[in-house]
Amino acid sequence: MDQLREDVLAAIDVAAGPDALEAVRVHALGKQGTVTALLKSLGKMTPEERQVQGPRIHGLREAVNAAIGARREKLEAAILADKLASETLDMTLPVDVPTSGTVHPVSQVMDELAEIFADLGFAVATGPEIEDDWHNFTALNIPDTHPARAMHDTFYFPPDDSGEQKMLLRTHTSPVQIRTMVDQKPPIRIIAPGRTYRSDSDATHTPMFHQVEGLVIDKGITLGHLKWTLETFLKAFFERDDIVLRLRPSYFPFTEPSAEVDVGFSIEKGKRVIGGSEGWMEVLGSGMVHPKVIEACGLDPKEWQGFAFGCGIDRLAMLKYGMDDLRAFFDGDLRWLRHYGFSALDVPTLSGGVGA
Ligand code: PHE
């Protein structure tokens, strides 16, 4: 038994790893193990023999168990020490940006717009997409029989609860002008980005699209303020200093005078690039807020003047990021989004450069 004890303890001592140690354990204490055999032999002994051998054999089993436990702890400590020595952790590495999920280009452009206009002192305002007839048309100087309504054909709902107002999907963001003027005291400086709807559908029109409205109401506001604001906005948005604007006289019922704004482009390597003035592209509608609109909102047009503009956000995104089919924006094709989408951490800031 002394020999066996020596052999087993020696084998435990030299076991090089957890697997080798386990093999030694099975050899000694497994079903067919050498120590197990001794334990079994106790059953065949006379009581006197058992009294002598019992404590020795149990003692042997305990000694073997204790030695295995101690060896296992040693081996595990060695493995841990090894890992600590070989696996280093570089705390200065930048974090891994998770790649699941991207920001839609339209959302990105809306964030860029909010950032640019915040810098100019504009707040962001919102209004409902299901709008009533008065806010969408009448208060904007588009009475029931006005031909401009034909250009804004949309989707109508049953009348509102009072039964007085026709309800519709708003055809532009201009009703937010009305809501803001009714709710807030001037001076007012807001932009209102959001979804708009018209029954239109081809490569450059989708039934749902996005606009951003701009509105300034204050004392002594002129067309000069409008032009400077648009120029500053477009330069920041397209990140170019050579932006040239062309204001073309136009007509909107809610502005007087009205101007359609074109931005100049040039051809670089066969592609249209915003900047310069080799050609012109229409980007937005604008004008001085019509006195009748100011009056409809309960303000005195002799005291308060202002300008407004409305701009297609999808169009801005296409021009800035080089996309060519508007319909792809709303197809929900993930491959398109993965190609054009933005990282969730790519938050536009003016200091960092929008869309950087
Ligand atoms: N609401 C107009 C449109 O959708 C754009 C516009 C807004 C024009 C504000 C002038 C002033 O076409």
Side-chain angles (χ1 to χ4, degrees), residues 105-115 124 191 193-195 210-211 237 313 348:
V106 170
S107 303
Q108 178 79 5
V109 167
M110 290 209 221
D111 289 348
E112 291 175 7
L113 293 170
E115 188 67 33
V124 172
I191 59 163
R195 278 188 279 271
H210 297 82
Q211 285 192 337
F237 181 74
I313 292 181

mmCIF file of all heavy atoms in Angstrom, residues 105-115 124 191 193-195 210-211 237 313 348:
data_model
loop_
_atom_site.group_PDB
_atom_site.id
_atom_site.type_symbol
_atom_site.label_atom_id
_atom_site.label_comp_id
_atom_site.label_asym_id
_atom_site.label_seq_id
_atom_site.Cartn_x
_atom_site.Cartn_y
_atom_site.Cartn_z
ATOM 1 N N PRO A 105 -30.417 58.270 -45.489
ATOM 2 C CA PRO A 105 -29.902 59.562 -45.955
ATOM 3 C C PRO A 105 -30.868 60.724 -45.698
ATOM 4 O O PRO A 105 -30.427 61.841 -45.403
ATOM 5 C CB PRO A 105 -29.699 59.344 -47.455
ATOM 6 C CG PRO A 105 -29.442 57.889 -47.582
ATOM 7 C CD PRO A 105 -30.260 57.224 -46.511
ATOM 8 N N VAL A 106 -32.186 60.468 -45.785
ATOM 9 C CA VAL A 106 -33.136 61.561 -45.545
ATOM 10 C C VAL A 106 -33.057 62.029 -44.085
ATOM 11 O O VAL A 106 -33.056 63.229 -43.803
ATOM 12 C CB VAL A 106 -34.579 61.122 -45.896
ATOM 13 C CG1 VAL A 106 -35.583 62.153 -45.420
ATOM 14 C CG2 VAL A 106 -34.715 60.923 -47.403
ATOM 15 N N SER A 107 -32.936 61.064 -43.172
ATOM 16 C CA SER A 107 -32.806 61.436 -41.752
ATOM 17 C C SER A 107 -31.501 62.190 -41.519
ATOM 18 O O SER A 107 -31.450 63.151 -40.750
ATOM 19 C CB SER A 107 -32.825 60.191 -40.866
ATOM 20 O OG SER A 107 -34.002 59.457 -41.086
ATOM 21 N N GLN A 108 -30.457 61.721 -42.201
ATOM 22 C CA GLN A 108 -29.159 62.380 -42.055
ATOM 23 C C GLN A 108 -29.240 63.831 -42.523
ATOM 24 O O GLN A 108 -28.762 64.743 -41.852
ATOM 25 C CB GLN A 108 -28.096 61.620 -42.874
ATOM 26 C CG GLN A 108 -26.713 62.234 -42.830
ATOM 27 C CD GLN A 108 -25.956 61.895 -41.555
ATOM 28 O OE1 GLN A 108 -26.447 61.118 -40.724
ATOM 29 N NE2 GLN A 108 -24.786 62.467 -41.392
ATOM 30 N N VAL A 109 -29.887 64.040 -43.685
ATOM 31 C CA VAL A 109 -29.995 65.403 -44.218
ATOM 32 C C VAL A 109 -30.851 66.266 -43.278
ATOM 33 O O VAL A 109 -30.534 67.428 -43.027
ATOM 34 C CB VAL A 109 -30.566 65.386 -45.657
ATOM 35 C CG1 VAL A 109 -30.968 66.787 -46.096
ATOM 36 C CG2 VAL A 109 -29.525 64.815 -46.616
ATOM 37 N N MET A 110 -31.916 65.693 -42.707
ATOM 38 C CA MET A 110 -32.728 66.469 -41.756
ATOM 39 C C MET A 110 -31.880 66.909 -40.561
ATOM 40 O O MET A 110 -32.029 68.021 -40.070
ATOM 41 C CB MET A 110 -33.913 65.639 -41.281
ATOM 42 C CG MET A 110 -34.951 65.417 -42.349
ATOM 43 S SD MET A 110 -36.568 65.234 -41.577
ATOM 44 C CE MET A 110 -37.279 63.945 -42.499
ATOM 45 N N ASP A 111 -31.026 65.999 -40.089
ATOM 46 C CA ASP A 111 -30.148 66.363 -38.971
ATOM 47 C C ASP A 111 -29.167 67.461 -39.377
ATOM 48 O O ASP A 111 -28.873 68.374 -38.614
ATOM 49 C CB ASP A 111 -29.359 65.138 -38.482
ATOM 50 C CG ASP A 111 -30.257 64.142 -37.756
ATOM 51 O OD1 ASP A 111 -31.412 64.503 -37.444
ATOM 52 O OD2 ASP A 111 -29.814 63.000 -37.515
ATOM 53 N N GLU A 112 -28.656 67.350 -40.598
ATOM 54 C CA GLU A 112 -27.720 68.374 -41.085
ATOM 55 C C GLU A 112 -28.421 69.729 -41.139
ATOM 56 O O GLU A 112 -27.866 70.765 -40.745
ATOM 57 C CB GLU A 112 -27.191 68.000 -42.476
ATOM 58 C CG GLU A 112 -26.266 66.788 -42.466
ATOM 59 C CD GLU A 112 -25.847 66.347 -43.872
ATOM 60 O OE1 GLU A 112 -26.158 67.054 -44.840
ATOM 61 O OE2 GLU A 112 -25.216 65.283 -43.977
ATOM 62 N N LEU A 113 -29.678 69.727 -41.646
ATOM 63 C CA LEU A 113 -30.430 70.978 -41.752
ATOM 64 C C LEU A 113 -30.652 71.595 -40.368
ATOM 65 O O LEU A 113 -30.456 72.794 -40.169
ATOM 66 C CB LEU A 113 -31.792 70.721 -42.415
ATOM 67 C CG LEU A 113 -31.740 70.300 -43.883
ATOM 68 C CD1 LEU A 113 -33.118 69.849 -44.355
ATOM 69 C CD2 LEU A 113 -31.228 71.433 -44.756
ATOM 70 N N ALA A 114 -31.043 70.751 -39.408
ATOM 71 C CA ALA A 114 -31.292 71.245 -38.047
ATOM 72 C C ALA A 114 -30.016 71.859 -37.484
ATOM 73 O O ALA A 114 -30.051 72.912 -36.830
ATOM 74 C CB ALA A 114 -31.776 70.108 -37.156
ATOM 75 N N GLU A 115 -28.891 71.217 -37.778
ATOM 76 C CA GLU A 115 -27.599 71.698 -37.274
ATOM 77 C C GLU A 115 -27.224 73.046 -37.895
ATOM 78 O O GLU A 115 -26.840 73.986 -37.207
ATOM 79 C CB GLU A 115 -26.542 70.631 -37.596
ATOM 80 C CG GLU A 115 -25.203 70.870 -36.992
ATOM 81 C CD GLU A 115 -25.226 70.765 -35.470
ATOM 82 O OE1 GLU A 115 -26.002 69.954 -34.935
ATOM 83 O OE2 GLU A 115 -24.465 71.521 -34.845
ATOM 84 N N VAL A 124 -36.500 74.134 -34.441
ATOM 85 C CA VAL A 124 -37.194 73.162 -35.286
ATOM 86 C C VAL A 124 -38.650 73.074 -34.830
ATOM 87 O O VAL A 124 -38.920 72.885 -33.646
ATOM 88 C CB VAL A 124 -36.533 71.769 -35.198
ATOM 89 C CG1 VAL A 124 -37.374 70.725 -35.926
ATOM 90 C CG2 VAL A 124 -35.128 71.818 -35.800
ATOM 91 N N ILE A 191 -37.389 76.263 -38.671
ATOM 92 C CA ILE A 191 -37.473 75.387 -39.841
ATOM 93 C C ILE A 191 -38.411 74.255 -39.456
ATOM 94 O O ILE A 191 -38.556 73.937 -38.265
ATOM 95 C CB ILE A 191 -36.111 74.811 -40.311
ATOM 96 C CG1 ILE A 191 -35.444 73.994 -39.205
ATOM 97 C CG2 ILE A 191 -35.222 75.900 -40.838
ATOM 98 C CD1 ILE A 191 -34.327 73.087 -39.722
ATOM 99 N N PRO A 193 -38.939 70.512 -40.861
ATOM 100 C CA PRO A 193 -38.722 69.387 -41.776
ATOM 101 C C PRO A 193 -39.792 68.322 -41.553
ATOM 102 O O PRO A 193 -40.283 68.171 -40.430
ATOM 103 C CB PRO A 193 -37.352 68.846 -41.355
ATOM 104 C CG PRO A 193 -37.162 69.280 -39.944
ATOM 105 C CD PRO A 193 -38.125 70.392 -39.637
ATOM 106 N N GLY A 194 -40.163 67.596 -42.608
ATOM 107 C CA GLY A 194 -41.137 66.520 -42.389
ATOM 108 C C GLY A 194 -41.665 65.916 -43.668
ATOM 109 O O GLY A 194 -41.286 66.311 -44.775
ATOM 110 N N ARG A 195 -42.576 64.946 -43.485
ATOM 111 C CA ARG A 195 -43.160 64.224 -44.618
ATOM 112 C C ARG A 195 -44.316 65.006 -45.225
ATOM 113 O O ARG A 195 -45.096 65.622 -44.496
ATOM 114 C CB ARG A 195 -43.671 62.864 -44.161
ATOM 115 C CG ARG A 195 -42.595 61.813 -44.080
ATOM 116 C CD ARG A 195 -43.198 60.452 -43.809
ATOM 117 N NE ARG A 195 -43.482 60.297 -42.394
ATOM 118 C CZ ARG A 195 -42.591 59.818 -41.516
ATOM 119 N NH1 ARG A 195 -41.409 59.432 -41.925
ATOM 120 N NH2 ARG A 195 -42.903 59.703 -40.251
ATOM 121 N N HIS A 210 -40.265 64.477 -48.763
ATOM 122 C CA HIS A 210 -39.909 65.285 -47.592
ATOM 123 C C HIS A 210 -39.610 66.726 -47.986
ATOM 124 O O HIS A 210 -38.988 66.968 -49.019
ATOM 125 C CB HIS A 210 -38.678 64.704 -46.893
ATOM 126 C CG HIS A 210 -38.904 63.333 -46.349
ATOM 127 N ND1 HIS A 210 -38.816 62.212 -47.141
ATOM 128 C CD2 HIS A 210 -39.241 62.900 -45.113
ATOM 129 C CE1 HIS A 210 -39.078 61.137 -46.388
ATOM 130 N NE2 HIS A 210 -39.338 61.535 -45.170
ATOM 131 N N GLN A 211 -40.064 67.627 -47.158
ATOM 132 C CA GLN A 211 -39.749 69.039 -47.372
ATOM 133 C C GLN A 211 -39.185 69.630 -46.088
ATOM 134 O O GLN A 211 -39.402 69.098 -45.002
ATOM 135 C CB GLN A 211 -41.021 69.830 -47.699
ATOM 136 C CG GLN A 211 -41.552 69.631 -49.099
ATOM 137 C CD GLN A 211 -42.634 70.666 -49.435
ATOM 138 O OE1 GLN A 211 -43.274 71.234 -48.555
ATOM 139 N NE2 GLN A 211 -42.830 70.899 -50.717
ATOM 140 N N PHE A 237 -24.473 73.514 -46.417
ATOM 141 C CA PHE A 237 -25.000 72.180 -46.728
ATOM 142 C C PHE A 237 -24.124 71.464 -47.752
ATOM 143 O O PHE A 237 -23.785 70.295 -47.588
ATOM 144 C CB PHE A 237 -26.445 72.280 -47.226
ATOM 145 C CG PHE A 237 -27.040 70.930 -47.535
ATOM 146 C CD1 PHE A 237 -27.424 70.070 -46.512
ATOM 147 C CD2 PHE A 237 -27.187 70.496 -48.852
ATOM 148 C CE1 PHE A 237 -27.951 68.818 -46.784
ATOM 149 C CE2 PHE A 237 -27.712 69.238 -49.133
ATOM 150 C CZ PHE A 237 -28.091 68.398 -48.094
ATOM 151 N N ILE A 313 -36.337 67.860 -49.437
ATOM 152 C CA ILE A 313 -35.188 67.263 -48.741
ATOM 153 C C ILE A 313 -34.603 66.091 -49.531
ATOM 154 O O ILE A 313 -33.389 65.922 -49.623
ATOM 155 C CB ILE A 313 -35.621 66.781 -47.341
ATOM 156 C CG1 ILE A 313 -35.951 67.988 -46.470
ATOM 157 C CG2 ILE A 313 -34.524 65.931 -46.691
ATOM 158 C CD1 ILE A 313 -36.357 67.628 -45.062
ATOM 159 N N PRO A 348 -24.067 64.771 -37.610
ATOM 160 C CA PRO A 348 -23.595 65.997 -38.235
ATOM 161 C C PRO A 348 -23.358 67.095 -37.211
ATOM 162 O O PRO A 348 -24.189 67.334 -36.345
ATOM 163 C CB PRO A 348 -24.784 66.405 -39.132
ATOM 164 C CG PRO A 348 -25.729 65.284 -39.140
ATOM 165 C CD PRO A 348 -25.460 64.463 -37.924
#
